[in-house]
Amino acid sequence: NAGVMQNPRHLVRRRGQEARLRCSPMKGHSHVYWYRQLPEEGLKFMVYLQKENIIDESGMPKERFSAEFPKEGPSILRIQQVVRGDSAAYFCASSPSAGQGSTGELFFGEGSRLTVL
Amino acid sequence: QKEVEQDPGPLSVPEGAIVSLNCTYSNSAFQYFMWYRQYSRKGPELLMYTYSSGNKEDGRFTAQVDKSSKYISLFIRDSQPSDSATYLCAMSGGNNRLAFGKGNQVVVIP
């Protein structure tokens, strides 16, 4: 049973370009969470999604960032017009049901490291 | 004041020593408390989670929560070189959002 798969593992973008990060949850998991880890900072919650629904996006910056989790396919975190401050590791986690988002019984991927030049 | 404070200073201990890590927090609504281990360039993996105050033991690992002091701890007994990693505390108020500390890098020297 494959774990949470994130790609690309590393992404380099120039300022103003778009970044798309993909996350395939573990088989049987329909709840996905995105966290961002800035240099020298702890992981910060960004968004919580279920299939076709955004449940909580309170941690998402108001502009340029969006997330989706379609009925088919991976969850996508999209960052438009990237700036240097977006350079970070972006982690996706999944769970089979809603409660684990609070108890921390999540399975994390290995992260996507975005570098903005 | 940050919601979760974890002194990020690295910690080096000799093999077999006890590792002691702790976090403090400010949000009284937190009910769930976790410790994660993160190896370099990998994702966090859950070590233990505790609901409310009390102690929980799992093998060489013991987690303690003192809600009255807003203080949580993790102890690793008989530390091994394979325990060398970054340890993150995290907590939640039941809203499917985790608040993390910055993490402690632990090095166990053979």
Side-chain angles (χ1 to χ4, degrees):
Chain A
N1 186 11
V4 176
M5 303 301 292
Q6 290 189 248
N7 66 81
R9 293 291 311 279
H10 301 275
L11 183 63
V12 179
R13 286 287 179 266
R14 296 191 180 279
R15 281 179 297 171
Q17 292 184 317
E18 178 179 288
R20 283 190 182 223
L21 310 177
R22 289 176 291 278
C23 170
S24 296
M26 284 186 71
K27 188 175 181 181
H29 288 194
S30 58
H31 298 254
V32 165
Y33 314 78
W34 285 92
Y35 283 81
R36 176 165 66 171
Q37 190 171 38
L38 292 165
E40 309 303 323
E41 294 290 328
L43 286 145
K44 303 289 186 192
F45 170 82
M46 297 183 76
V47 62
Y48 163 38
L49 310 105
Q50 294 178 29
K51 285 280 188 182
E52 300 184 274
N53 286 304
I54 297 174
I55 307 302
D56 181 357
E57 57 181 348
S58 59
M60 290 276 272
K62 293 289 184 278
E63 298 177 348
R64 303 187 297 107
F65 285 72
S66 62
E68 63 176 8
F69 189 14
K71 187 177 180 181
E72 301 290 338
S75 175
I76 307 283
L77 180 68
R78 181 184 180 203
I79 312 171
Q80 295 178 288
Q81 298 175 321
V82 297
V83 300
R84 289 216 174 108
D86 297 332
S87 296
Y90 292 82
F91 289 94
C92 168
S94 73
S95 68
S97 61
Q100 285 93 342
S102 295
T103 62
E105 294 168 290
L106 305 175
F107 294 86
F108 279 86
E110 295 195 336
S112 291
R113 282 157 182 83
L114 172 65
T115 301
V116 179
L117 301 178
Chain B
Q1 183 184 12
K2 291 193 175 214
E3 271 195 315
V4 181
E5 297 276 5
Q6 183 178 11
D7 184 352
L11 188 62
S12 290
V13 299
E15 183 175 355
I18 295 175
V19 175
S20 174
L21 305 169
N22 60 77
C23 291
T24 59
Y25 63 95
S26 58
N27 189 341
S28 300
F30 289 148
Q31 305 171 57
Y32 301 93
F33 304 90
M34 308 106 207
W35 286 94
Y36 286 85
R37 178 174 60 197
Q38 186 176 21
Y39 291 112
S40 181
R41 299 295 184 181
K42 300 291 186 183
E45 57 176 325
L46 181 67
L47 278 176
M48 302 178 73
Y49 99 83
T50 310
Y51 174 69
S52 195
S53 284
N55 293 358
K56 189 172 186 178
E57 190 172 315
D58 184 1
R60 296 184 294 109
F61 298 87
T62 300
Q64 292 182 348
V65 175
D66 181 348
K67 288 190 72 179
S68 62
S69 302
K70 296 190 176 65
Y71 186 92
I72 72 171
S73 302
L74 177 71
F75 300 96
I76 308 173
R77 291 184 300 280
D78 188 25
S79 56
Q80 304 295 310
S82 59
D83 294 328
S84 298
T86 296
Y87 290 81
L88 310 168
C89 64
M91 41 203 83
S92 166
N95 55 5
N96 285 299
R97 275 183 267 138
L98 302 181
F100 282 86
K102 287 187 178 182
N104 277 119
Q105 185 179 5
V106 173
V107 177
V108 180
I109 302 167

